[in-house]
Amino acid sequence: ADLLMMKKHNVNAIRCCHQPNDPRFYDLCNELGFYVIDEADLETHGFAVVEENRSSPSERELPSETRADRVYDRAGRRWLAEDPQWEHAYVDRAERMIARDKNHPSVIIWSLGNEAFFGPNFVAMARTVRRMDPTRPIHYEGDSTDQVVDMHSMMYPSFEKIQDYLRSQEGRGPDAKPLVLCEYAHAMGNSPGALQEYVDMFHNEPLLQGGFIWEWANHGLRKKWSGGQVGYAYGGDFDEELHDGNFILDGLLFSDHTPTPAMSEVRNAYAPIKAEWSSRTERQFTITNLFDFIGLGRVVCQWRWLDEGTPATEWQALDLPRLLPKETVELTIPAVGLEDRIESKGRLLDLRFLLADDDKWAHKGFELAWSQLLVSRCHSRDNPHVLKPRTNEATWLPSSIERCLLYFVSSDEEAFRFDFDVLQGVVSRMTCSSQSFVSGPMTFGLWRPITDNDRLGFTHSTGHMWEKFQVKLARTHVQSTNWEYLHGMSQIALVCHARLASPSLEWAFELKFSYIFHASGSVEMSIQGTPTGHMPRILPKIGWTVPLAPGFERVQWYGRGPGESYRDKKAIKFGQYECSVDEMYTNYEYPQEGGNRTDTWWAILWNDQYRKGLRITSPSEQDGFNFSALHYRLEDIDAAKHPHELQKSRETFLCIDLDQAGVGTGACGPATLEKYECKARTFDFKVLLELVSSDNS
């Protein structure tokens, strides 16, 4: 089942880590068509810890990469890799692997081991490998100077480090060694970010052969806790003293081997067919065959138009030329249904590439790849299919104030009511016909639950930086509030000036909240922010959290979906989607930030008992906004170490964000790329909240 899942997600190569696999595995790889790096059962990584502990005080002050190089060099010289007494054991591991697996065509590379440093014993291994099988190349990441290997190998390199190596090979001709990323895109928790950038580099750089995501699946062990809860445990959950915590939860699959959201990212980033707009002429697009050895003769292409994420035409066949490997063809966008709809709101050309016949791993019609090309940007925030626009000319009754709360009540039969907290500068309650929508004070803030990549920080811990700057503790302090009636009492304009600041540091955002309350049942919220003082350079997010009353359980939206997405992790489709609030959240085995949706044009949270909903749009965001809807408080997600520790609330916590940091791969690899950071900056964020009724009310 795992190998079939790999094929269906466009994975074509497997590295056996860090020992040879079951013999039956290779038989299946032969049949299904995988490239395999077969790896000897050799790892001595633990000696690095020994040498790290022996480091001098001055060495401990060195940059982490320089210090690691010194530690690894000493570990190789002082321990097994240079000890002649261990040469036979090293060579034996290579001999047995090759003798057993040499007749499997899926095995294309022999690997001498993993993280075992380097020394003469590896030279002896390589000599034995070449004597037994001179036809296959040799890999070993620990041979950093390429003394015996046929390819250079790296783990978790930055893009800059990859480029540095590629430049070092320029002009070497046939002596240039190809580069393989034997581990990259560390898939721990909500991860990996920037996968598409790595894959683009694989395709664009001939010397860069590809990489192996670490790793396939989480390794949690099923456990029943004392309270009767059943879940997956990790290091420390069995009262053991030495362990690596949740560092075993770093796979593309959960511990039960169901896919995490990262699998959708992998499937689409690894897609073997790509469509994009032509750079030469309008109304032209290109299709590229990214396969290395096969043409597209067994692939069917279909297209349709989407308007605001809904089909405007049926799927139709596209006459696809028989593209050879790496060939590109330029085509004209289909004219059918185009001329009368080109000005349509949010027009997309939707393409899919299907298997024309049954294969060993999938049936005819299986979707190999898809592409969506934007023809016209969405300028409307309406969803006429599910909304009843309110046209009544309601007005506001005279406001009242009590204990720092302003009360606004409309004069019509719906009796819309907004309670406004003057001290906090936010709406604290919203009701319609005595039915509660917003059940508590909204908050505007900078915090989202921390991820593994934030918390652990292989090269730089973003989470520690946020803790140092007290970002989580930042609160709003109102300085002034003024309001007035507009348009014959049908609107109330309210302005608050405030500071969003840490409790004991001098950095802050100077804020201006501007609200317009409409008696017809909506509120426009505009917030302008200007950073002052010594700010943290990057932030977790910038946005609102809105507590909704119990009963708001159904979510609809137009944006990316159906699963979660982030700035650097959103290789998923645009469309109109619907799910429950429970289905919105990704229940990672170590609780953390999850469930965000990017590039959202509108979203509605429905209370089906009321037959009413709260509709969210953001007029200021031309590329859409971020949102999520959860049954957990953000602080509870931060506090929990296992899913069963999360206490589900009857309320729904709606997050509406201007920006949110990308997820990166910082737990073991590069942090979030600069272009995906949520930077501390001046901003102007507008949100419109509307109370709406369903069509069947």
Side-chain angles (χ1 to χ4, degrees):
D2 281 8
L3 293 178
L4 291 176
M5 193 183 302
M6 289 183 188
K7 289 291 290 187
K8 291 178 179 180
H9 286 80
N10 295 318
V11 174
N12 68 356
I14 303 168
R15 174 185 170 218
C16 296
C17 303
H18 300 294
Q19 59 277 319
N21 214 312
D22 186 296
R24 294 169 295 182
F25 163 81
Y26 303 91
D27 293 335
L28 291 170
C29 289
N30 299 340
E31 183 177 351
L32 293 172
F34 284 101
Y35 300 128
V36 174
I37 294 184
D38 208 6
E39 189 158 279
D41 182 12
L42 177 55
E43 175 160 353
T44 61
H45 195 186
F47 287 112
V49 179
V50 175
E51 291 302 323
E52 177 73 29
N53 291 337
R54 296 164 65 111
S55 297
S56 67
S58 61
E59 286 178 320
R60 295 178 189 275
E61 299 300 319
L62 293 171
S64 59
E65 192 166 323
T66 303
R67 188 174 70 250
D69 287 343
R70 290 195 181 188
V71 165
Y72 272 50
D73 181 62
R74 285 205 304 266
R77 284 187 285 106
R78 182 169 285 158
W79 301 98
L80 307 186
E82 293 197 12
D83 187 343
Q85 296 182 81
W86 285 88
E87 179 180 321
H88 175 73
Y90 277 61
V91 171
D92 179 64
R93 280 160 169 75
E95 287 177 336
R96 288 188 291 119
M97 174 177 68
I98 296 170
R100 194 193 71 168
D101 298 337
K102 63 187 177 184
N103 292 325
H104 288 289
S106 59
V107 175
I108 62 168
I109 296 170
W110 302 117
S111 178
L112 303 183
N114 180 73
E115 294 179 331
F117 321 112
F118 191 74
N121 291 340
F122 280 102
V123 177
M125 283 183 81
R127 188 165 53 243
T128 299
V129 171
R130 288 198 166 89
R131 174 179 55 79
M132 294 182 68
D133 179 13
T135 67
R136 290 179 174 96
I138 294 175
H139 165 274
Y140 177 55
E141 183 267 343
D143 182 9
S144 58
T145 57
D146 302 337
Q147 295 182 41
V148 300
V149 295
D150 297 300
M151 65 202 70
H152 192 70
S153 181
M154 293 182 181
M155 291 183 178
Y156 313 110
S158 65
F159 293 100
E160 294 76 15
K161 190 171 182 179
I162 294 172
Q163 291 289 2
D164 287 345
Y165 175 78
L166 296 176
R167 281 192 291 268
S168 76
Q169 300 300 297
E170 291 176 358
R172 295 192 61 191
D175 293 327
K177 287 193 185 297
L179 173 60
V180 169
L181 308 185
C182 65
E183 295 176 22
Y184 85 111
H186 194 254
M188 186 173 184
N190 191 343
S191 197
L195 181 63
Q196 187 65 57
E197 278 77 1
Y198 280 103
V199 176
D200 289 344
M201 190 176 276
F202 295 159
H203 290 306
N204 295 332
E205 298 288 351
L207 207 61
L208 180 57
Q209 299 297 288
F212 297 85
I213 293 174
W214 187 271
E215 64 177 316
W216 176 238
N218 290 352
H219 299 286
L221 298 177
R222 195 170 185 271
K223 176 181 176 178
K224 185 174 183 179
W225 273 266
S226 57
Q229 308 95 337
V230 176
Y232 288 92
Y234 50 80
D237 286 336
F238 302 95
D239 298 324
E240 69 273 38
E241 294 180 354
L242 292 176
H243 57 81
D244 287 329
N246 69 315
F247 220 76
I248 59 162
L249 304 178
D250 54 2
L252 295 170
L253 306 185
F254 291 112
S255 294
D256 63 359
H257 282 230
T258 57
T260 71
M263 283 296 282
S264 295
E265 194 78 5
V266 169
R267 178 178 184 268
N268 299 323
Y270 282 10
I273 307 167
K274 178 175 66 175
E276 56 190 357
W277 287 119
S278 170
S279 60
R280 299 193 305 111
T281 59
E282 292 185 0
R283 299 197 179 188
Q284 299 282 315
F285 67 98
T286 62
I287 293 178
T288 301
N289 175 11
L290 295 172
F291 282 113
D292 288 313
F293 300 111
I294 61 174
L296 298 187
R298 297 183 60 232
V299 174
V300 173
C301 180
Q302 296 180 343
W303 69 271
R304 66 179 178 181
W305 291 117
L306 295 180
D307 285 346
E308 287 201 16
T310 59
T313 60
E314 298 295 323
W315 286 110
Q316 300 181 52
L318 182 70
D319 187 13
L320 184 66
R322 289 176 172 266
L323 286 177
L324 296 176
K326 304 302 183 185
E327 278 192 340
T328 297
V329 66
E330 190 169 80
L331 303 171
T332 302
I333 60 176
V336 177
L338 175 63
E339 294 304 328
D340 60 333
R341 294 177 177 269
I342 191 64
E343 299 302 324
S344 173
K345 299 162 283 190
R347 164 58 59 98
L348 286 168
L349 178 60
D350 200 16
L351 297 162
R352 64 182 183 183
F353 302 90
L354 314 175
L355 281 179
D357 304 294
D358 287 346
D359 207 321
K360 293 178 180 178
W361 52 272
H363 292 298
K364 175 182 177 180
F366 176 79
E367 185 181 83
L368 284 171
W370 59 266
S371 290
Q372 290 183 322
L373 304 180
L374 179 66
V375 177
S376 63
R377 191 176 293 277
C378 179
H379 298 292
S380 168
R381 302 299 197 269
D382 290 337
N383 177 15
H385 305 292
V386 299
L387 301 185
K388 280 187 172 181
R390 292 179 51 78
T391 58
N392 65 315
E393 297 297 328
T395 58
W396 292 110
L397 298 174
S399 62
S400 61
I401 187 168
E402 180 180 344
R403 294 182 180 178
C404 299
L405 288 177
L406 270 170
Y407 301 104
F408 304 132
V409 182
S410 69
S411 61
D412 67 344
E413 62 182 14
E414 296 278 10
F416 287 109
R417 171 174 164 173
F418 292 91
D419 296 358
F420 188 85
D421 190 320
V422 177
L423 289 180
Q424 299 187 57
V426 296
V427 173
S428 62
R429 195 178 179 210
M430 183 189 302
T431 63
C432 174
S433 303
S434 300
Q435 297 167 335
S436 179
F437 282 63
V438 175
S439 60
M442 302 179 183
T443 56
F444 188 84
L446 310 174
W447 191 255
R448 61 156 166 77
I450 206 162
T451 66
D452 286 324
N453 289 330
D454 300 329
R455 181 172 57 89
L456 297 171
F458 186 61
T459 56
H460 171 73
S461 174
T462 308
H464 290 165
M465 184 270 290
W466 289 336
E467 183 178 0
K468 172 185 173 183
F469 277 91
Q470 302 175 357
V471 176
K472 187 176 183 179
L473 304 179
R475 298 292 184 269
T476 300
H477 306 275
V478 174
Q479 298 165 325
S480 66
T481 303
N482 297 283
W483 69 94
E484 61 178 331
Y485 290 94
L486 303 175
H487 303 293
M489 302 281 286
S490 66
Q491 297 177 10
I492 298 171
L494 187 151
V495 176
C496 287
H497 290 89
R499 279 171 61 88
L500 178 61
S502 79
S504 63
L505 301 176
E506 60 21 290
W507 69 266
F509 275 101
E510 299 292 345
L511 301 179
K512 179 184 177 182
F513 294 93
S514 300
Y515 300 88
I516 298 179
F517 296 93
H518 297 263
S520 57
S522 64
V523 56
E524 299 175 52
M525 307 190 302
S526 174
I527 182 165
Q528 296 170 306
T530 303
T532 64
H534 179 51
M535 297 282 296
R537 187 179 65 83
I538 56 177
L539 300 167
K541 78 164 193 175
I542 300 171
W544 290 96
T545 300
V546 182
L548 300 182
F552 286 86
E553 298 290 341
R554 183 164 60 92
V555 190
Q556 289 181 307
W557 74 97
Y558 170 40
R560 291 193 186 271
E564 71 179 23
S565 55
Y566 292 82
R567 292 187 65 177
D568 57 355
K569 181 187 168 188
K570 57 179 183 179
I572 54 178
K573 293 182 181 181
F574 276 101
Q576 287 194 27
Y577 300 101
E578 179 176 333
C579 69
S580 69
V581 171
D582 284 337
E583 292 169 328
M584 286 285 288
Y585 181 58
T586 302
N587 205 16
Y588 289 105
E589 290 168 28
Y590 189 100
Q592 57 197 276
E593 162 64 33
N596 185 64
R597 268 61 174 179
T598 60
D599 304 335
T600 307
W601 288 91
W602 54 258
I604 308 175
L605 275 292
W606 289 103
N607 185 317
D608 289 325
Q609 181 181 354
Y610 294 170
R611 298 173 119 181
K612 289 183 171 62
L614 183 68
R615 180 172 177 264
I616 307 102
T617 55
S618 178
S620 64
E621 299 311 300
Q622 292 303 306
D623 293 318
F625 58 93
N626 292 265
F627 92 101
S628 63
L630 316 172
H631 276 309
Y632 307 111
R633 299 179 188 275
L634 304 188
E635 56 268 28
D636 291 342
I637 297 174
D638 266 335
K641 300 296 185 289
H642 301 87
H644 72 263
E645 297 169 11
L646 288 170
Q647 298 299 311
K648 182 177 176 181
S649 172
R650 294 179 62 237
E651 293 177 293
T652 294
F653 299 97
L654 169 66
C655 294
I656 311 165
D657 296 332
L658 165 69
D659 197 2
Q660 187 169 151
V663 295
T665 57
C668 191
T672 303
L673 295 183
E674 183 178 357
K675 65 180 178 178
Y676 296 130
E677 293 172 343
C678 176
K679 292 182 172 61
R681 70 212 189 255
T682 299
F683 62 84
D684 186 354
F685 185 33
K686 295 180 175 64
V687 173
L688 174 62
L689 302 181
E690 299 174 275
L691 303 182
V692 296
S693 300
S694 59
D695 265 349
N696 59 358
S697 62

